[in-house]
Amino acid sequence: MNSSTRLDSLDEALSKNLTSFALGVIINCVNGAFVHIYFKNKVFQREPRYVLYIHLVINDMLMLTVSVALQILTYTVPLSFAPCCTMILLLTTTNKNSPLNLAGMAVERYIAVCRPLHHVQMCTVQRAHALIALIWGVSLIPGLADIIILFAVQPPSASTGTVVCFTTSLYNAPYHKAQGLVVQILLFSCVFLTLIVTYLKVLCAARAVSGSSQASTRNARNTILLHGVQLFLCMLSFIFPSINVVLVTTWPQARTKIVFTSFLFVNVLPRLLSPLVYGVRDKKFSGHIRRHFCCKRCNSAERRGKLVQ
């Protein structure tokens, strides 16, 4: 989006920023409702799968907020090196958190189905918190490496003044490209293999059980399959830059529209998937949400009734 700033008219820039801001607020409000339900009910805080789930939702909210804010700032305020690096570091870290968190959730479901007797000992809330800390540590390392490489290959004067706050513009050394490619391949290969193995194990378990256990296993299998869909959406953020180059080369007059559309479909709209996939499908979560909002409606109706009397 940054490179297209000067090519947009005032009306186009305003409409794009308003669209991004409105979608960001709406999606964060939906995600925020699930976060509110989680922290209001202690029952969710005692189960590791809900701990990992709510971390995924909060991570998506943070990533969405930073990406929308960065897009709006590039149209309105010239950014200097330090705040730009900070925002990109946070954006790239949260972007890598998502697939790693999905892998952790898949492993938890695998243990719950295939090793139920060991689930209580192996999957605890404390270990879920430790896994979240490990995810942040692993995801933070490539972003810090990019900054170190930048200082190593460029003179100190490059960090003064305003910059084009875009990852490929800021980190444009060959070392950045090599490091980024290696990290992407390792990250998604590990997560993809984890999802495939856990899905096949749960699938085999589903064929071996019957009755209510089969229904539970089928639900876990479908959940892991949805993890794969989310992983594919996470990979779009790495695939779309190449697709954008092809599309912009084919239709150069529609460059800004292509870049903005890819931004919406890669950075904004997928952030709505986590609450829809897990919060709505999960009976316990959806039940608490219905009761919460039904109670609010009942209370507001009672207050209106008292005012009328």
Side-chain angles (χ1 to χ4, degrees), residues 180-200:
L181 183 61
V182 171
V183 169
Q184 290 171 25
I185 292 174
L186 288 176
L187 174 66
F188 285 101
S189 296
C190 293
V191 175
F192 179 76
L193 289 175
T194 301
L195 292 178
I196 288 294
V197 171
T198 52
Y199 179 79
L200 292 176

Side-chain angles (χ1 to χ4, degrees), residues 109-121:
R109 287 293 83 201
Y110 157 74
I111 295 173
V113 171
C114 299
R115 299 178 178 273
L117 298 179
H118 301 88
H119 183 261
V120 176
Q121 290 78 22

Side-chain angles (χ1 to χ4, degrees), residues 60-74:
D60 283 350
M61 293 176 67
L62 186 58
M63 180 164 52
L64 177 61
T65 301
V66 174
S67 60
V68 172
L70 185 58
Q71 188 231 353
I72 294 174
L73 286 173
T74 54

Side-chain angles (χ1 to χ4, degrees), residues 14-307:
L14 184 61
S15 63
K16 288 177 179 179
N17 287 331
L18 287 176
T19 300
S20 301
F21 180 78
L23 287 174
V25 170
I26 292 171
I27 294 173
N28 273 348
C29 285
V30 174
N31 287 336
F34 287 90
V35 175
H36 173 72
I37 294 296
Y38 171 84
F39 284 106
K40 188 177 180 180
N41 298 275
K42 298 291 185 181
V43 64
F44 296 117
Q45 301 173 34
R46 292 193 288 266
E47 295 191 37
R49 67 180 179 133
Y50 291 117
V51 173
L52 292 174
Y53 161 69
I54 213 64
H55 171 253
L56 183 64
V57 174
I58 294 174
N59 183 78
D60 283 350
M61 293 176 67
L62 186 58
M63 180 164 52
L64 177 61
T65 301
V66 174
S67 60
V68 172
L70 185 58
Q71 188 231 353
I72 294 174
L73 286 173
T74 54
Y75 278 95
T76 55
V77 180
L79 288 175
S80 58
F81 179 81
C84 175
C85 269
T86 302
M87 296 185 74
I88 288 182
L89 177 63
L90 188 55
L91 188 60
T92 55
T93 301
T94 51
N95 195 23
K96 292 179 177 64
N97 282 346
S98 294
L100 292 174
N101 200 98
L102 291 173
M105 294 172 72
V107 171
E108 189 277 332
R109 287 293 83 201
Y110 157 74
I111 295 173
V113 171
C114 299
R115 299 178 178 273
L117 298 179
H118 301 88
H119 183 261
V120 176
Q121 290 78 22
M122 297 176 68
C123 299
T124 63
V125 173
Q126 290 76 15
R127 288 186 176 180
H129 290 152
L131 177 61
I132 290 171
L134 179 63
I135 288 172
W136 275 91
V138 170
S139 299
L140 192 62
I141 291 173
L144 293 176
D146 280 331
I147 297 175
I148 293 172
I149 293 172
L150 183 65
F151 280 111
V153 300
Q154 291 188 2
S157 59
S159 60
T160 60
T162 60
V163 294
V164 178
C165 198
F166 197 59
T167 306
T168 54
S169 299
L170 189 65
Y171 303 139
N172 53 11
Y175 300 103
H176 287 124
K177 296 178 181 178
Q179 188 260 146
L181 183 61
V182 171
V183 169
Q184 290 171 25
I185 292 174
L186 288 176
L187 174 66
F188 285 101
S189 296
C190 293
V191 175
F192 179 76
L193 289 175
T194 301
L195 292 178
I196 288 294
V197 171
T198 52
Y199 179 79
L200 292 176
K201 292 283 188 179
V202 172
L203 182 63
C204 293
R207 294 177 176 177
V209 298
S210 60
S212 60
S213 297
Q214 189 177 31
S216 176
T217 305
R218 190 186 307 114
N219 185 56
R221 182 195 63 196
N222 293 337
T223 299
I224 294 175
L225 187 61
L226 288 170
H227 288 335
V229 175
Q230 282 195 286
L231 178 63
F232 172 74
L233 292 175
C234 292
M235 291 178 66
L236 288 180
S237 61
F238 301 103
I239 298 171
F240 252 85
S242 301
I243 298 176
N244 282 342
V245 172
V246 175
L247 294 176
V248 169
T249 304
T250 308
W251 296 285
Q253 70 280 2
R255 178 192 177 198
T256 58
K257 293 182 176 63
I258 291 171
V259 175
F260 178 69
T261 302
S262 68
F263 169 76
L264 291 182
F265 280 95
V266 173
N267 295 85
V268 178
L269 295 178
R271 308 285 78 81
L272 188 60
L273 188 61
S274 294
L276 296 180
V277 167
Y278 305 107
V280 176
R281 286 182 67 250
D282 188 90
K283 293 181 179 179
K284 186 184 292 187
F285 231 116
S286 59
H288 277 79
I289 289 173
R290 284 195 299 269
R291 284 194 294 271
H292 175 73
F293 287 103
C294 284
C295 289
K296 278 197 168 184
R297 284 197 296 268
C298 292
N299 291 335
S300 61
E302 287 179 4
R303 284 195 294 268
R304 285 196 300 268
K306 290 179 180 178
L307 290 174

